[in-house]
Amino acid sequence: MRFLVFLEHHEGRLQNDSLGVLGKAASLGDAEAVLLGTEVEGLAADAGRFGAQRVHVMDDVLLDKPLPQPRVDALETLLGEGAFDAVLFAASVLSADVAAGLAARLDAGLNYDLTDLAVEDGELVGKRPALGDSIYVDVGWSADPRLALFRSGTFEPAESGGKAEVQKLESRLQDFSLAATMVEQAHEESEGPSIEDADVIVAGGRGLGGPEGFAAVEELAKALGGAVAATRAVVDAGWYPYSAQVGQTGKTVSPKLYVAVGISGAIQHKVGMQSSSLIVAINKDPNAPIFEYADLGVVGDLNEILPKLTELVRARRAA
Amino acid sequence: MKIAVCAKYVPEATAARRIDPSTKRLDRSGEGALNPFDANAVEEALKLKDAAGEAEVVIVSVGPAKALEAMRRALAMGADRVVLVSDEAAAGSDLVATSRILAAALEREGADLVLFGQQANDGDGAVLWAAVADRLQRPLISQVAELEHADGKVRGKRQTEFGYDVIEAPLPAVIAVSDAINVPRYPALKGIMGAKKKPQETLSLADLGVPAEEAGEAGSRTTVRALNEPPARGDTQKIEDDGSAAETIVAFLQERKAL
């Protein structure tokens, strides 16, 4: 099968989620990639190292800002020139809009929120958790090209050390696609790793009692070399910024270790973090739903446990 | 100014949700309601109407006939009328088919601004607006947490993975709002009483000129092949802190090679 992977990049770096999807494509068939933006040709070599045989590059000042609609035009052009069996996207604010716009443009099927992709009896099959992940649905496509949007954090990038051939592409952008313009981009400089790329996440919820409760969470995260996340309830209450929010209306993360502190674990939170490899929960309510899916649940007072835990982790890592 | 708000009829949040194994579709036989995320879009439309002095807010929905009653909540909040596209042939529509039907209904309205809520609480897709914007060939701003309207333009501030974007677009445009944008008003008793009398129109696919084979499963490009049980998580263990919880956690992390 011939795959095209839409590669998202930010400040001169390919996004991990995109590279993860690229690796998945390479494991199933011939993986090609597309890079859209300004001065992006240099990133093609990185795409090659992570599994792309060929990288289609469209360098255009009109593609400088991360806006979806001109990208739909660019992909339509590319797909008009070569037949791909499937076009794959790693979900993000930008990519979701690009994928859905392209689906309408081409009358192509888009399956979204996928957590895996397989070839079964020669057919491409997507795996999608539904209804708060209580059921897993096998989805398919009835026509070419098949569009697939993967839940963030689904695949780890796999470095293959390959080299990609670069193919340049001329853009044909439509007027309406250029009508929306980026007026301002204020990109937050966050300390430490961002939660989507972090291997370790320490997350705080309402059980922290107030914004000051996050100090102990930050200390533990620092000791573990991880990032801090928050539930929607505390973000809504203004205790912590939205950029750290995990859950249905925030980010979906799948770190190697997720430590949930003072989080009851409602379904809206669960869907954002349940694919973490290891979940440790600390909560004073023994009936908190989070204990149903935490690998290790601790019923206790976080104010007593957190400082001790931080100290022990520090000592262990220093040893 | 004319503002169209796209709204979905979803199962009540309190109802147990299930997928009907025979149709492989969400069982929609129970009680339904206005998708709570769409109430944010209705609220934003009403705020724009208040600010503009004069505007018409029309709710546009695709769903079963009983969706009309749920849409009255938007009328009770203050929207002016409802257009519901309801047709047996539209059931089971995927993104491609739904966006085709919705775009046809919106073309008929010719609104200056089309608003969406951030997601349906029964679908997890959160992408319909981009498909509709492409079909309408209108500029799109999604996930908007702050919206301004002046001089025939809209300006939206939104959150991304990296921070904030401010995006501007001329009208007519398509905007998807985040649920952080406002707190939807509760309908007042007077609004509830008056809602029934406001214009409520039900259209068929034929009324919109959408052929039946371009809607529903026939017009869809995705399929549901099988339904499976979710993978079971490994064993979970729960302990009570007896003063040594921190040590237990560290030992556990070491055993699982996470430290």
Side-chain angles (χ1 to χ4, degrees), chain A residues 2-318:
Chain A
R2 191 175 176 211
F3 293 98
L4 180 68
V5 178
F6 177 79
L7 294 181
E8 195 167 337
H9 51 88
H10 179 67
E11 291 175 349
R13 272 193 58 211
L14 293 175
Q15 294 300 294
N16 256 350
D17 276 348
S18 293
L19 291 176
V21 170
L22 180 59
K24 184 69 194 183
S27 76
L28 293 174
D30 297 328
E32 299 183 26
V34 56
L35 269 170
L36 308 173
T38 49
E39 295 171 31
V40 288
E41 202 180 325
L43 296 174
D46 291 341
R49 283 196 295 117
F50 285 92
Q53 299 177 358
R54 185 180 290 146
V55 180
H56 304 269
V57 175
M58 190 181 284
D59 213 301
D60 192 319
V61 66
L62 296 173
L63 292 167
D64 184 50
K65 301 296 182 200
L67 291 166
Q69 291 172 303
R71 284 168 169 74
V72 174
D73 297 339
L75 290 176
E76 183 190 19
T77 306
L78 176 55
L79 291 167
E81 288 171 7
F84 289 91
D85 294 295
V87 187
L88 314 183
F89 301 82
S92 70
V93 168
L94 176 66
S95 293
D97 284 352
V98 177
L102 188 64
R105 184 75 60 89
L106 302 176
D107 274 332
L110 170 65
N111 279 310
Y112 42 75
D113 206 29
L114 299 183
T115 55
D116 203 2
L117 189 68
V119 179
E120 295 174 4
D121 302 326
E123 294 273 333
L124 201 61
V125 180
K127 310 283 176 178
R128 181 160 78 87
L131 301 184
D133 294 1
S134 63
I135 190 161
Y136 274 55
V137 185
D138 281 1
V139 293
W141 292 262
S142 55
D144 286 342
R146 302 159 181 84
L147 310 187
L149 184 61
F150 293 91
R151 191 180 276 193
S152 66
T154 294
F155 305 115
E156 281 289 317
E159 196 160 347
S160 61
K163 265 203 163 76
E165 170 199 338
V166 173
Q167 207 144 61
K168 293 207 184 171
L169 193 66
E170 282 294 314
S171 51
R172 287 197 296 269
L173 307 180
Q174 305 209 26
D175 287 345
F176 82 89
S177 298
L178 300 171
T181 52
M182 186 74 71
V183 181
E184 193 185 320
Q185 274 180 289
H187 285 171
E188 288 181 344
E189 295 301 324
S190 53
E191 281 179 36
S194 85
I195 59 171
E196 282 155 301
D197 294 331
D199 282 339
V200 176
I201 289 175
V202 184
R206 231 190 253 285
L208 293 176
E212 64 284 353
F214 269 97
V217 171
E218 283 169 347
E219 284 297 310
L220 178 58
K222 210 159 130 193
L224 287 164
V228 175
T231 63
R232 173 175 169 151
V234 303
V235 170
D236 273 352
W239 298 1
Y240 220 69
Y242 171 85
S243 56
Q245 185 178 315
V246 165
Q248 192 171 40
T249 53
K251 290 178 176 141
T252 301
V253 297
S254 51
K256 295 197 174 78
L257 171 63
Y258 190 94
V259 183
V261 182
I263 294 175
S264 68
I267 185 71
Q268 288 79 3
H269 184 72
K270 183 185 175 190
V271 299
M273 49 63 81
Q274 66 173 356
S275 52
S276 306
S277 308
L278 202 59
I279 299 169
V280 174
I282 304 169
N283 200 303
K284 66 170 190 269
D285 174 9
N287 297 318
I290 195 143
F291 290 131
E292 287 164 24
Y293 53 95
D295 298 283
L296 176 65
V298 177
V299 182
D301 183 353
L302 59 94
N303 295 314
E304 283 177 21
I305 299 169
L306 277 194
K308 268 195 236 169
L309 181 57
T310 303
E311 203 176 300
L312 285 174
V313 169
R314 266 197 207 121
R316 184 58 57 185
R317 285 173 65 99

